Amino acid sequence: MGVTNKESGTNVNEIAAGIYRISTPVGPEVIPGGFTINQYLIVDDQSLIFHTGLRKMFPLVREAVASVIPVERLRYIAFSHVEADECGALNQWLAAAPDAVPLCGRIAASVSIEDLADRMPRAIADGEAIEIGTHSVQWFDAPHLPHAWECGFLMEKSTGTLLCGDLFTQPGAHPAPITESDILGPSEAFRGRMDYFSHSRNTRGMIERLAAANPTTLACMHGSAWWGDGAALLRMLADTLDK
Ligand SMILES: [Fe+2]
Ligand SMILES: [Fe+2]
C-alpha cells in the first residue's frame, strides 16, 4: 500500500473497512495549486470500483487496483455521471475484467452508456441497493447535483461511506487520504473559482436525502476523503448553496 507509481505519485490507502482510495496527483500546470483524481475500490465477493479515472490514466489506476486485488475480480465498474474522470476508462476496465459490467443510474444507461460501453450496463434504480458481499451499495439519483442530468451517488451501508463524487471537491496535489478537518471551506473556495455546480432547483431536497442516510465517511473524487458527521456537513453545504 502507499505509493504504487513513483513517477505519477499514484497512491492507495484504505479509508474504511475494505474501501480503498486510489489517488493520482494532477500538476499545477493543469489546475493552479494542483489537483487529485480519485477512485474508490470496494473489495468484496463482487468487487466494485467507483469512478474509472481518465482513459489516459488507466495504466496507473490498474496498477493501483492490482496492488490490492487481481483486476479480474472486479464485477462492477460504477460512476456518478458521464465525464472523462468518471468513466473515461470504462471500456479498458471492461476488457481487463471480463466478468465486470458498468453500474450506473438509469438515465446514464439509456442516454449514454448503452451506446458508449462495450458491454451492457446494469442500470440501478433510485433507492435500489445491491449486495456485493459484506458491503452493500444503494444508489441515489441526484440530477444536476452538482452537474449532469444522469448524476447520482452510491452509499455503502456497512461502513457508512457516501461515494459523493464531485461534492466537496478540494484543490491541492497532495491532500491527506482522509481528514477530519474542514473540507467545506476549501471546496467552497474552489467552487468560487471554478463554477462547476449547475444551480438546479431541487438541490436542498436531494442533499437532504443523502444526509438522511447518515454517512460517516465522505469519499470525495477530488481531494481528501472525510470522516465525521456527514449529515451535518451535507446540510451545511445545502445552507451555503442557498445563499
Ligand atoms: Fe463531474
Ligand atoms: Fe470529478
Side-chain angles (χ1 to χ4, degrees):
M1 228 64 68
V3 174
T4 52
N5 188 286
K6 278 189 183 146
E7 200 176 333
S8 67
T10 303
N11 58 88
V12 182
N13 289 277
E14 189 173 9
I15 54 118
I19 303 184
Y20 296 81
R21 173 184 176 273
I22 297 165
S23 184
T24 299
V26 174
E29 68 283 0
V30 180
I31 291 185
F35 201 55
T36 47
I37 296 181
N38 307 330
Q39 301 79 39
Y40 291 90
L41 170 67
I42 307 180
V43 175
D44 214 314
D45 298 337
Q46 298 177 284
S47 295
L48 177 153
I49 191 167
F50 194 66
H51 317 137
T52 69
L54 302 171
R55 185 171 61 89
K56 290 177 180 170
M57 193 180 275
F58 176 68
L60 296 172
V61 184
R62 179 184 54 195
E63 182 178 38
V65 169
S67 76
V68 184
I69 56 166
V71 296
E72 314 84 68
R73 274 188 55 193
L74 286 169
R75 292 293 180 275
Y76 291 111
I77 315 297
F79 50 90
S80 167
H81 51 279
V82 180
E83 278 180 341
D85 58 355
E86 293 276 353
C87 60
L90 177 57
N91 286 329
Q92 286 146 299
W93 281 113
L94 294 177
D99 295 327
V101 291
L103 179 69
C104 60
R106 287 176 162 180
I107 301 290
S110 63
V111 172
S112 297
I113 301 304
E114 288 174 7
D115 182 65
L116 292 178
D118 289 340
R119 277 202 289 284
M120 286 297 280
R122 163 72 162 87
I124 185 167
D126 184 34
E128 183 182 355
I130 296 179
E131 301 217 346
I132 60 171
T134 59
H135 298 85
S136 75
V137 289
Q138 183 177 19
W139 176 260
F140 291 88
D141 277 347
H144 309 292
L145 174 69
H147 48 243
W149 179 28
E150 70 278 4
C151 193
F153 304 105
L154 282 178
M155 172 78 188
E156 198 296 298
K157 293 184 181 180
S158 74
T159 59
T161 300
L162 179 64
L163 299 156
C164 65
D166 286 334
L167 297 181
F168 303 105
T169 286
Q170 314 135 57
H174 301 285
I178 187 161
T179 183
E180 294 179 60
S181 305
D182 176 49
I183 59 169
L184 180 60
S187 70
E188 281 299 293
F190 187 74
R191 188 169 70 87
R193 285 175 23 214
M194 310 271 281
D195 187 19
Y196 60 91
F197 267 63
S198 63
H199 310 287
S200 58
R201 283 167 298 165
N202 190 28
T203 300
R204 177 169 286 276
M206 288 188 287
I207 291 179
E208 183 54 39
R209 287 184 73 213
L210 300 174
N214 275 317
T216 51
T217 300
L218 299 176
C220 305
M221 185 194 218
H222 309 286
S224 298
W226 182 85
W227 190 85
D229 183 346
L233 194 70
L234 283 158
R235 287 176 181 130
M236 285 169 68
L237 173 63
D239 290 344
T240 309
L241 292 168
D242 268 354
K243 285 176 188 161

